[in-house]
Amino acid sequence: MNFNKTTEYSLRILGFMSIEEDKIYSAEVLNENLEIPFRYLRKQLTKLSNNGLLTSYRGKSGGYMLSKPSKEITLWDIIEVTEDIDHTHQCIFGFEDCAFGQRCAIHHKWEKIQEAINEMLKDTTLEELKRIGPQRFISQHNLMLTKNV
Amino acid sequence: MNFNKTTEYSLRILGFMSIEEDKIYSAEVLNENLEIPFRYLRKQLTKLSNNGLLTSYRGKSGGYMLSKPSKEITLWDIIEVTEDIDHTHQCIFGFEDCAFGQRCAIHHKWEKIQEAINEMLKDTTLEELKRIGPQRFISQHNLMLTKNV
DNA sequence: CACAAATGACACCTTTAGGTATTATTAACC
DNA sequence: GGTTAATAATACCTAAAGGTGTCATTTGTG
Ligand code: SF4
Ligand code: SF4
């Protein structure tokens, strides 16, 4: 009943990057600020690039930048990449072929909650999440290296 | 964002057993009716016994029975056994020491959803779930062996 | 008591998410 | 063009959840 580590990491990364969303952040810099194992961070950044959430710049003074304005990236977009959701299969009991015409007691309750979650995920954009996490992450943000400075 | 297999299995088991909650069900019988790998089912039944949800009867014509009336067993009770929830740590980003006085945008929304989920889990009893899952599971229920017949 | 039919305990195997290591490729800058 | 600082690709390792196998223990019954 919660998100996996990869999702958490991705939220951290993207949340941090959206503080100044027109800057390029290298994996090195992100590693210094977010507490994510370096190699895994690298892997994850590549994945986020390959899935269109980040644009990557290779070569010297390269790094990553949000591929779209933060207000156009929803939590849902992120979670679709990091969590593999089975959109069809939502029975709380794991039944794949429930044959009831009349649903069981929990079905409706559960469905409502699912809807609430999805709604939240689709309605919340990175823009709202500029300032997340412990203060220390944010306060160090001005140490960032940028492409243009 | 969903329950693990062990939780699903447990819900199936207990849901099925609550159809006739004063009967003793052997692992063998449960295995014939619910589609759960036999050994793992056995393991899980032991765990549910050890955690007070089931009472086990050893020896010939033994098996398992609900330890309490189904209306006194909530989904929450079950999930506490099968899912290991960290009750303290609920930050969607996985931060353990968020230092904000002013919470981030998602914090409140997420908290509300968590509450809705917990409320549902605590309000829903096995009693409401007597008839769950595909029809075939239920229709075979009269083949049960019991202690007293 | 001996046998059969059930659960209990415990060790082991398998799959997958999380994490590392290595080598190749790209691009700015001298 | 060569050096350096960055990402890309790929393969491998580790820990935890899911799943098996074996043997011991309990209890009803002839
Ligand atoms: S305010 Fe945001 S970052 Fe801080 S604990 Fe709440 S959800 Fe996590
Ligand atoms: S009615 Fe109940 S058992 Fe059937 S799919 Fe819905 S939640 Fe699952």
Side-chain angles (χ1 to χ4, degrees):
Chain A
M1 277 316 301
N2 37 27
F3 297 113
N4 60 35
K5 272 239 154 75
T6 302
T7 298
E8 290 180 6
Y9 289 161
S10 298
L11 290 173
R12 264 193 237 177
I13 294 165
L14 294 166
F16 189 74
M17 290 177 71
S18 64
I19 297 178
E20 296 189 72
E21 52 183 287
D22 53 348
K23 290 207 187 324
I24 287 182
Y25 301 82
S26 71
E28 181 63 30
V29 166
L30 292 170
N31 181 56
E32 284 164 7
N33 287 278
L34 310 172
E35 288 158 355
I36 303 172
F38 186 63
R39 312 274 177 187
Y40 199 55
L41 170 64
R42 289 283 312 282
K43 197 185 205 176
Q44 207 47 36
L45 287 166
T46 303
K47 189 175 185 186
L48 292 171
S49 292
N50 290 340
N51 284 278
L53 290 173
L54 295 178
T55 306
S56 76
Y57 300 89
R58 299 180 72 169
K60 198 167 178 177
S61 79
Y64 303 87
M65 195 172 67
L66 295 187
S67 64
K68 290 186 289 190
S70 64
K71 75 175 60 167
E72 292 175 22
I73 301 176
T74 67
L75 295 191
W76 180 265
D77 297 332
I78 300 164
I79 281 159
E80 269 199 319
V81 171
T82 57
E83 205 98 9
D84 55 308
I85 311 171
D86 180 355
H87 294 279
T88 59
H89 175 224
Q90 306 207 48
C91 174
I92 191 174
F93 299 105
F95 292 131
E96 292 175 4
D97 56 350
C98 181
F100 281 118
Q102 179 187 348
R103 296 304 196 180
C104 83
I106 198 103
H107 188 100
H108 182 61
K109 295 185 190 180
W110 183 243
E111 211 164 44
K112 270 186 64 175
I113 291 201
Q114 280 288 127
E115 278 164 21
I117 293 173
N118 292 348
E119 198 177 317
M120 180 200 71
L121 295 176
K122 287 178 179 170
D123 284 357
T124 310
T125 70
L126 265 185
E127 221 274 323
E128 298 180 58
L129 295 175
K130 278 185 178 160
R131 309 192 140 270
I132 61 174
Q135 190 62 40
R136 70 193 137 85
F137 287 0
I138 309 304
S139 60
Q140 289 176 7
H141 191 272
N142 50 358
L143 303 178
M144 294 305 96
L145 300 175
T146 71
K147 187 171 188 173
N148 310 317
V149 177
Chain B
M1 278 316 299
N2 37 25
F3 297 111
N4 61 35
K5 272 237 153 76
T6 302
T7 299
E8 290 182 5
Y9 289 161
S10 299
L11 290 173
R12 265 193 237 178
I13 294 165
L14 294 166
F16 189 74
M17 289 177 71
S18 63
I19 297 179
E20 295 189 75
E21 51 182 289
D22 54 346
K23 289 207 187 326
I24 288 181
Y25 300 81
S26 70
E28 181 62 31
V29 165
L30 291 170
N31 182 56
E32 285 163 8
N33 286 277
L34 310 171
E35 288 158 356
I36 302 172
F38 185 63
R39 312 274 177 190
Y40 198 55
L41 170 64
R42 290 280 313 282
K43 198 185 204 174
Q44 206 48 36
L45 287 166
T46 302
K47 190 175 185 186
L48 292 172
S49 292
N50 290 340
N51 284 277
L53 291 174
L54 295 178
T55 306
S56 77
Y57 299 90
R58 299 181 71 170
K60 199 167 178 177
S61 78
Y64 303 88
M65 195 171 67
L66 295 186
S67 65
K68 289 187 291 190
S70 64
K71 74 176 61 168
E72 291 174 23
I73 301 176
T74 67
L75 295 191
W76 180 265
D77 297 333
I78 300 164
I79 280 159
E80 269 198 320
V81 172
T82 58
E83 206 98 9
D84 54 309
I85 311 172
D86 181 355
H87 294 280
T88 60
H89 175 224
Q90 307 208 48
C91 174
I92 191 174
F93 300 104
F95 292 131
E96 292 175 5
D97 57 350
C98 180
F100 281 118
Q102 179 189 349
R103 296 305 196 179
C104 83
I106 197 99
H107 188 100
H108 183 59
K109 294 185 191 181
W110 183 243
E111 211 164 43
K112 270 185 63 175
I113 290 202
Q114 280 289 126
E115 278 164 20
I117 293 173
N118 292 348
E119 199 177 317
M120 179 199 72
L121 295 176
K122 287 178 179 169
D123 284 358
T124 310
T125 70
L126 265 186
E127 221 273 323
E128 298 180 58
L129 295 176
K130 279 186 177 158
R131 309 191 141 270
I132 59 173
Q135 190 62 40
R136 70 193 138 86
F137 287 1
I138 309 305
S139 60
Q140 289 176 7
H141 191 271
N142 50 358
L143 302 178
M144 294 306 96
L145 300 175
T146 71
K147 187 172 190 173
N148 310 317
V149 177

